[in-house]
């Protein structure tokens, strides 16, 4: 098993990564802030609960912990204030109080939702992340951003709450569909590009189902995310924004496709290609590095060419970029790479540059 520390003074915790470790959930809580707690609310979704809750419940129950399982429907729509209110009520009715703790068992949707419930339930109780997707293991379970969507936009309501620990079991990834598995790897490729270029070699060598190699890759990703979060926990210093590499144009493509039509990671793959182009142009990035990043995305069957569809024409994409919530003075603060593993924030990306970058996405790679 691998352990990656996240050092945030009194909010520090360990990310525990292994294969088949959810069977030992109770044991893995021993050195964490929830160690002595005897009541647990597991929050999961209706895909993950039938697949992976049994070993978690069995482990906790045999350690004398009372467990209740609450599930929400799978999917982004479950990240809602309605579900927050409903989960709080269900937990109150089941007798959970400030001595209880929450386990988020599932992907990023469940992690963000359950984490937010933990942040406000009885003014805050501790929670544990058991992430079961690539996105949640390499990204969302670490860093303490929790929250839900508002009808007006994604992730607009939330709180910072660091988990008590994270238990990332790579065996749970075996039940993911190929498309879900691959899309998560877009974030791993992003991490490699902005912070650990040699991770690209490991990604290029990865075969699905290779648990030791997957553990290694998850651990390296968590270490990258941890370092960035440690330097800028609440996104006040600006450096946490480096995690947005590929996301400015990626988000515009995701939104233009219509949420749900294109997976987040698929849109981000295209956004990364565009950001690499802009990095070569404005920050002097070596094109050979771009090629390696693109090869890694291609290894996971991620799209690199923008389809010729009406929703992806400039008239649809460019206005969305001007509306991006990370915009300043109408123009996005672009994350560019000046060298492998060295991101910078650039204000010098113009509308013309963006149009050019999108045009380039229409050409074959
Ligand atoms: N808090 C953060 O820092 C942060 C960072 C990145 C993303 N996010 C959020 O994470 C969410 C996306 O996360 P996600 O990609 O994990 O999506 P998700 O939670 O919706 O999971 C994707 C799908 O896979 C299913 N699933 C999960 N684990 C499975 C397993 N082991 N086997 C079979 N099916 C499984 C889910 O039921 C769902 O249908 C978004 O809401 C995004 O905003 C948050
Ligand atoms: Zn992302």
């Amino acid at each position: 098993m691998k352990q990656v520390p996240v050092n945030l003074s009194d909010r520090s915790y360990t990310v525990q990564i292994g294969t088949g470790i959810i069977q030992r959930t109770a044991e893995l809580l021993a050195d964490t802030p929830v160690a002595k707690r005897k009541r647990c609310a597991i929050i999961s979704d209706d895909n993950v609960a039938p697949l992976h809750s049994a070993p978690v419940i069995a482990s906790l129950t045999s350690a004398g912990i009372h467990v209740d399982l609450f599930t929400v429907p799978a999917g982004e729509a479950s990240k809602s204030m309605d579900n927050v209110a409903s989960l709080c009520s269900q937990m109150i009715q089941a007798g959970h109080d400030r001595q209880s703790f929450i386990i988020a068992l599932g992907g990023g949707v469940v992690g963000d939702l359950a984490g937010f419930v933990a942040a406000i339930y009885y003014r805050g109780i501790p929670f544990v992340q058991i992430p079961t997707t690539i996105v949640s293991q390499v990204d969302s379970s670490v860093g303490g951003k929790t929250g839900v969507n508002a009808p007006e936009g994604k992730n607009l309501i939330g709180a910072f709450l660091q988990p008590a620990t994270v238990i990332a079991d790579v065996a749970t990834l075996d039940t993911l569909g190929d498309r879900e598995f691959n899309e998560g790897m877009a974030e791993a490729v992003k991490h490699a590009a902005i912070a650990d270029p040699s991770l690209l070699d490991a990604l290029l060598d990865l075969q699905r189902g290779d648990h030791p190699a997957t553990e290694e890759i998850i651990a390296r990703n968590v270490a990258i995310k941890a370092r960035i979060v440690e330097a800028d926990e609440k996104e006040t210093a600006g450096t946490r924004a480096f995690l947005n590499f590929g996301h400015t144009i990626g988000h515009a493509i995701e939104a233009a496709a219509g949420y749900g039509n294109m997976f987040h990671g698929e849109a981000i793959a295209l956004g990364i290609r565009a950001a690499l182009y802009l990095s070569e142009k404005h920050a002097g990035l070596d094109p050979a590095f771009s090629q390696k990043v693109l090869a890694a995305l291609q290894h996971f069957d991620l799209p690199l060419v923008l389809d010729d569809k009406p929703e992806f024409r400039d008239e649809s994409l460019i206005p969305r970029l001007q509306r991006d919530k990370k915009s300043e003075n109408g123009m996005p603060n672009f994350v560019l790479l000046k060298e492998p593993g060295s991101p910078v924030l650039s204000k010098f990306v113009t509308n013309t540059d963006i149009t050019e970058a999108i045009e380039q996405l229409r050409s074959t790679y």
Side-chain angles (χ1 to χ4, degrees):
M1 198 172 78
K2 298 183 162 48
Q3 299 201 315
V4 182
V6 185
N7 296 307
L8 296 164
S9 62
D10 62 343
R11 297 170 309 292
S12 297
Y13 52 100
T14 303
V15 181
Q16 311 184 74
I17 301 150
T19 305
I21 58 173
I22 55 172
Q23 280 89 336
R24 297 197 281 125
T25 299
E27 187 193 317
L28 301 179
L29 301 181
D31 289 326
T32 77
V34 302
K36 300 251 163 6
R37 295 189 176 234
K38 291 294 173 206
R39 291 182 78 83
C40 172
I42 299 179
I43 298 178
S44 190
D45 73 27
D46 57 10
N47 283 339
V48 178
L51 292 168
H52 300 295
S53 65
V56 178
I57 295 171
S59 168
L60 295 170
T61 307
S62 64
I65 298 168
H66 172 91
V67 182
D68 289 300
L69 172 66
F70 304 100
T71 58
V72 296
E76 184 69 28
S78 279
K79 262 176 62 173
S80 68
M81 285 303 280
D82 282 355
N83 273 336
V84 171
S86 151
L87 286 165
C88 287
S89 290
Q90 291 178 67
M91 284 177 59
I92 293 164
Q93 286 162 23
H96 290 279
D97 62 17
R98 72 175 74 255
Q99 301 310 323
S100 290
F101 70 102
I102 288 176
I103 289 182
L105 174 68
V109 163
V110 161
D112 283 9
L113 171 67
F116 185 56
V117 171
I120 61 172
Y121 192 73
Y122 275 72
R123 299 195 180 81
I125 59 172
F127 88 118
V128 169
Q129 291 268 20
I130 304 188
T132 63
T133 61
I134 297 286
V135 170
S136 54
Q137 294 196 356
V138 304
D139 188 353
S140 62
S141 66
V142 179
K145 279 192 182 175
T146 75
V148 297
N149 303 322
E152 292 77 13
K154 278 194 61 168
N155 296 324
L156 297 182
I157 303 161
F160 282 100
L161 179 66
Q162 299 295 343
T165 187
V166 181
I167 300 171
D169 186 337
V170 301
T172 63
L173 304 171
D174 291 345
T175 53
L176 280 174
D178 279 337
R179 207 176 151 197
E180 282 83 0
F181 182 91
N182 286 332
E183 71 134 350
M185 287 298 180
E187 307 290 354
V189 173
K190 174 196 78 179
H191 281 155
I194 63 170
D196 182 2
S198 71
L199 173 59
L200 288 176
D201 298 316
L203 288 166
L204 280 160
D205 284 344
L206 181 70
Q207 297 304 324
R208 232 198 121 166
D210 181 341
H211 291 149
T214 310
E215 279 185 33
E216 177 69 28
I217 283 172
I218 302 294
R220 288 176 73 173
N221 274 279
V222 167
I224 292 165
K225 176 92 191 251
R227 232 190 305 146
I228 291 175
V229 170
E230 284 163 1
D232 186 13
E233 183 181 2
K234 299 204 167 159
E235 209 163 337
T236 46
T239 45
R240 192 163 173 165
F242 292 152
L243 292 167
N244 294 330
F245 183 68
H247 278 61
T248 308
I249 292 178
H251 275 150
I253 293 171
E254 186 180 11
Y259 283 106
N261 292 325
M262 194 177 230
F263 283 10
H264 176 73
E266 294 169 350
I268 294 314
L270 287 155
I272 289 175
R273 185 179 174 202
L276 289 168
Y277 170 86
L278 293 168
S279 299
E280 288 172 24
K281 185 168 174 188
H282 285 285
L285 182 68
D286 179 355
F289 184 68
S290 301
Q291 289 307 310
K292 193 163 178 186
V293 174
L294 296 179
L297 293 169
Q298 205 170 40
H299 180 68
F300 296 107
D301 283 334
L302 289 161
L304 296 174
V305 179
L306 199 58
D307 287 344
D308 179 26
K309 289 187 181 154
E311 59 268 32
F312 295 142
R313 300 220 171 105
D314 285 353
E315 314 82 89
S316 160
L317 282 176
I318 305 287
R320 288 180 200 280
L321 281 154
Q322 286 155 351
R323 279 203 306 268
D324 191 287
K325 73 171 189 256
K326 289 164 195 91
S327 293
E328 255 173 42
N329 311 324
M331 284 312 295
N333 237 333
F334 257 91
V335 185
L336 300 179
L337 279 185
K338 54 182 190 330
E339 277 168 47
S342 280
V344 283
L345 281 173
S346 171
K347 289 189 168 54
F348 303 110
V349 176
T350 64
N351 261 337
T352 317
D353 297 325
I354 292 173
T355 311
E356 232 178 75
I358 290 170
E359 189 51 42
Q360 186 253 0
L361 287 182
R362 299 192 175 100
S363 64
T364 53
Y365 148 67

